[in-house]
Amino acid sequence: LAKTTQPISMDSYEGQEVNITCSHNNIATNDYITWYQQFPSQGPRFIIQGYKTKVTNEVASLFIPADRKSSTLSLPRVSLSDTAVYYCLVGPYTGRRALTFGSGTRLQVQP
Amino acid sequence: EAQVTQNPRYLITVTGKKLTVTCSQNMNHEYMSWYRQDPGLGLRQIYYSMNVEVTDKGDVPEGYKVSRKEKRNFPLILESPSPNQTSLYFCASSSGLPKDTIYFGEGSWLTVV
């Protein structure tokens, strides 16, 4: 299983762009990279998913270099409501299915 | 509406008293799992199930049991709870397709005294 490494915490201010990088050196060929957001006392919720290059949706962008050994979640113009823990998850969704979340990155957005 | 429903949401129990946390999903998902979350330790997987009657251990299975008799239900059983099982528990499900998302329940706060 691909182990992930993320910064423990990050601070930002409202309106800034935030980039959170996740390292996954032993990612497998059939692994997807998925990011989740978790607010206190709530279950994580899906933000974005990608396999390679760049993916963008209405809330975030995901950048994945050619070697796929890392990925960067980009949150444009964060607001106070983006204060949460962000998890990078790498794993197959078929076959062996034990999925391991890391400790996540705690993002604190200040006014 | 796609949902993963856990019950109870909050429970205080005593050491050794068997309890079951139920989990149900309405998305016809094949894959279901249980996680516990403790301060500073992130989400740790307890057990997972790839389909009916197919279950396997996650990272921290000790002290827990699960069963998957129906596709929609995946109860977590604590046969003899101990204080170190005091935690926030999440049930999750996904379809099992190569590209998919995991849906989480709202969590169950369990305190063992």
Side-chain angles (χ1 to χ4, degrees), chain A residues 1-49:
Chain A
L1 290 173
K3 180 182 176 180
T4 61
T5 303
Q6 306 172 229
I8 294 174
S9 64
M10 296 182 69
D11 292 309
S12 182
Y13 292 94
E14 283 191 293
Q16 290 189 333
E17 178 184 72
V18 171
N19 295 310
I20 306 174
T21 297
C22 179
S23 297
H24 28 80
N25 291 321
N26 59 337
I27 188 170
T29 302
N30 61 343
D31 285 346
Y32 279 81
I33 301 159
T34 313
W35 285 80
Y36 291 83
Q37 175 191 56
Q38 185 182 28
F39 298 113
S41 301
Q42 295 184 24
R45 65 172 190 169
F46 172 87
I47 301 177
I48 196 166
Q49 184 181 71

Side-chain angles (χ1 to χ4, degrees), chain A residues 31-91:
Chain A
D31 285 346
Y32 279 81
I33 301 159
T34 313
W35 285 80
Y36 291 83
Q37 175 191 56
Q38 185 182 28
F39 298 113
S41 301
Q42 295 184 24
R45 65 172 190 169
F46 172 87
I47 301 177
I48 196 166
Q49 184 181 71
Y51 185 80
K52 61 181 179 181
T53 64
K54 177 183 175 182
V55 179
T56 297
N57 62 21
E58 63 275 9
V59 298
S61 294
L62 179 59
F63 299 91
I64 305 169
D67 66 7
R68 303 200 329 122
K69 293 183 183 299
S70 66
S71 59
T72 299
L73 173 72
S74 181
L75 304 172
R77 298 179 298 281
V78 295
S79 64
L80 296 176
S81 62
D82 292 316
T83 294
V85 178
Y86 293 83
Y87 294 95
C88 162
L89 181 64
V90 176

Side-chain angles (χ1 to χ4, degrees), chain B residues 21 57 64 84 99:
Chain B
V21 186
K57 297 177 180 178
Y64 304 94
N84 65 11
K99 184 178 179 180

